[in-house]
Amino acid sequence: MAEIRVENLHKAFGEFVAVRDSNFTVADGEFFVMLGPSGCGKTTTLRMIAGLELPTSGRILLGGDDVTFNRAAARDIAFVFQLFALYPHMNVRKNIGFPLKCQGMPASEIRTRVEETARFLRIDHLLNQPVSRLAGGDRQRVALGRAIVRRPMAFLMDEPLGTLDTEFRDLMVRELRELHLRINATTVYVTHDQLEAMAMADKIAVMNRGVIEQFATPQEIYDQPATMFVADFIGSPPMNFLPFRSGLRAGAVSVRVNGADITVPKLVEDLAETELALGVRPEHIRFDDHSRLRGTVFGAEYLGTTQIVTVTTEHGPVKARLPADVPARPGETVGLALRPERLSIFDRGSGRALRTALHEGRRHG
Ligand code: ATP
């Protein structure tokens, strides 16, 4: 079993803490994505799992065994650095077999393994071709073949699609996800790209300044962001925040934002008066003449079937995703209705989301 378990993992470089007290478990066969901006500690975490960096404290368990102080080579993990750097002077067979040759595996066994892998990826007819003559999709499959030929317990991938153009990347995202569904190997994948993460992950850890802000499924991360950072990092455009100041009582089902009463998911905690923010995704806003939440249309970005309309309000600019045929003329005054059951409320001091029926509902199915 290739469960990866990280317990109180901590990494400091001198005074600087790159990874702070991380705890998570990647279940056997899960595709796990570490997502966050540059410098948040993703690569450092991955390198500790790989055995390329020693933690300052904490433990790493692979399939239940404590591997924290094992050398990289003693961990049955494949670290995929650059998925696309094939060796141009070698043919397909030699490219795929290269990792096994490095391990010192006998030639006859390499031959069998390479042929099995090539059949699996449906490139067995290309084995003797030079890689320089292959089409893009086949080159990617050769690269994947080289990664999976070792049959490790787990794969670690650090921004493997980093340098690809968008079209190629979308294709590879699909290929990688499909491959994962077929071989079901535990995978830890690092990216700063939310679209890659949302498209591939079973679970995502969103990291910020060395801390995991949320560890959950893509849907939970999107619908119930645990912090303002997560809400802002995920989604395009990201969640809107309407700042307000208030105390809150458990059981309340509305909040007062600058004179407008807004229905929200039922609160499950009391809070003394403090600075708060109402969080609403652009697709949960519509125009409604009767709403007391008002603003002026600033402009609209046409996206075919939808449009992103920017409305200037006293809370700052608000972006709404509306059907493309909704009139949105710059300068026009509009009312904004927010979909009550999808709103989040954040404590602006800590950035944390308050617990509401939104979370309780999901938790119970
Ligand atoms: P990126 O995508 O830019 O690599 P990341 O989230 O993977 O970002 P890390 O590479 O883990 O971030 O780095 C986290 C922080 O730790 C960064 O500020 C980096 O400068 C610092 N850091 C990483 N390795 C070292 C090192 N060997 N010595 C000192 N600081 C380091």
Side-chain angles (χ1 to χ4, degrees):
M1 194 175 92
E3 175 192 274
I4 299 172
R5 194 181 179 88
V6 161
E7 291 180 356
N8 306 321
L9 198 64
H10 201 82
K11 179 70 187 182
F13 295 105
E15 294 284 291
F16 179 77
V17 178
V19 176
R20 192 179 293 272
D21 203 22
S22 254
N23 284 283
F24 58 84
T25 301
V26 187
D28 183 32
E30 215 163 47
F31 198 115
F32 167 64
V33 175
M34 276 194 284
L35 173 68
S38 179
C40 70
K42 310 176 295 284
T43 297
T44 305
T45 306
L46 196 72
R47 286 173 58 81
M48 288 191 281
I49 297 173
L52 300 171
E53 194 86 68
L54 273 183
T56 309
S57 58
R59 296 205 306 161
I60 296 162
L61 292 98
L62 184 62
D65 296 331
D66 188 337
V67 298
T68 316
F69 297 105
N70 291 6
R71 286 177 304 114
R75 303 181 190 197
D76 190 10
I77 285 180
F79 199 109
V80 182
F81 288 98
Q82 270 186 304
L83 206 41
F84 300 98
L86 297 175
Y87 303 108
H89 56 285
M90 295 183 193
N91 64 14
V92 171
R93 180 185 295 281
K94 290 210 167 109
N95 263 281
I96 297 179
F98 193 71
L100 303 181
K101 194 170 171 205
C102 293
Q103 280 180 355
M105 187 180 277
S108 60
E109 209 173 317
I110 293 180
R111 194 179 176 81
T112 313
R113 283 274 202 106
V114 168
E115 286 174 5
E116 267 172 26
T117 304
R119 266 198 302 279
F120 181 76
L121 292 167
R122 301 181 201 104
I123 47 173
D124 41 331
H125 58 292
L126 300 174
L127 275 171
N128 296 320
Q129 299 252 343
V131 289
S132 51
R133 275 209 228 126
L134 299 183
D138 290 331
R139 288 176 70 88
Q140 293 154 34
R141 270 174 224 121
V142 175
L144 289 175
R146 203 177 47 184
I148 66 173
V149 73
R150 271 180 51 197
R151 297 190 207 137
M153 277 171 84
F155 290 108
L156 307 182
M157 304 193 187
D158 193 355
E159 306 253 9
L161 311 183
T163 54
L164 298 182
D165 62 41
T166 315
E167 192 189 338
F168 218 39
R169 209 169 52 179
D170 289 350
L171 189 74
M172 262 330 280
V173 162
R174 284 200 301 276
E175 287 258 349
L176 277 174
R177 181 68 207 170
E178 198 217 326
L179 181 71
H180 177 73
L181 292 175
R182 289 171 69 201
I183 61 178
N184 250 313
T186 311
T187 303
V188 183
Y189 185 102
V190 161
T191 182
H192 64 274
D193 184 311
Q194 54 156 319
L195 297 178
E196 278 178 29
M198 297 300 273
M200 285 192 280
D202 297 311
K203 292 271 178 56
I204 299 177
V206 183
M207 289 189 73
N208 179 29
R209 298 187 188 175
V211 173
I212 294 182
E213 298 238 345
Q214 189 166 9
F215 175 84
T217 63
Q219 191 183 352
E220 281 168 322
I221 297 238
Y222 190 85
D223 288 343
Q224 305 159 38
T227 64
M228 290 178 85
F229 175 83
V230 173
D232 189 50
F233 195 75
I234 306 281
S236 179
M239 188 176 259
N240 297 288
F241 298 119
L242 311 184
F244 66 108
R245 184 176 175 84
S246 178
L248 299 173
R249 306 288 293 170
V253 290
S254 74
V255 292
R256 178 158 274 249
V257 179
N258 287 355
D261 283 320
I262 296 178
T263 307
V264 294
K266 194 171 175 178
L267 289 152
V268 295
E269 57 181 307
D270 290 325
L271 196 74
E273 182 168 323
T274 187
E275 300 296 331
L276 300 170
L278 192 64
V280 56
R281 293 245 176 244
E283 61 272 29
H284 298 141
I285 301 176
R286 61 183 172 80
F287 286 173
D288 177 353
D289 284 344
H290 304 296
S291 171
R292 290 192 55 188
L293 197 64
R294 304 199 75 78
T296 307
V297 173
F298 177 77
E301 181 192 347
Y302 177 71
L303 296 171
T305 54
T306 62
Q307 58 181 332
I308 307 292
V309 181
T310 305
V311 178
T312 310
T313 73
E314 60 185 306
H315 313 285
V318 168
K319 288 187 186 283
R321 185 187 294 275
L322 302 172
D325 56 0
V326 171
R329 281 173 289 277
E332 188 182 8
T333 300
V334 291
L336 301 175
L338 316 180
R339 202 166 148 198
E341 71 274 19
R342 305 308 290 272
L343 300 179
S344 298
I345 305 167
F346 298 95
D347 178 336
R348 274 196 283 153
S350 64
R352 163 186 87 86
L354 305 190
R355 291 206 71 74
T356 67
L358 179 70
H359 308 92
E360 306 291 301
R362 282 272 175 223
R363 230 173 14 156
H364 301 302

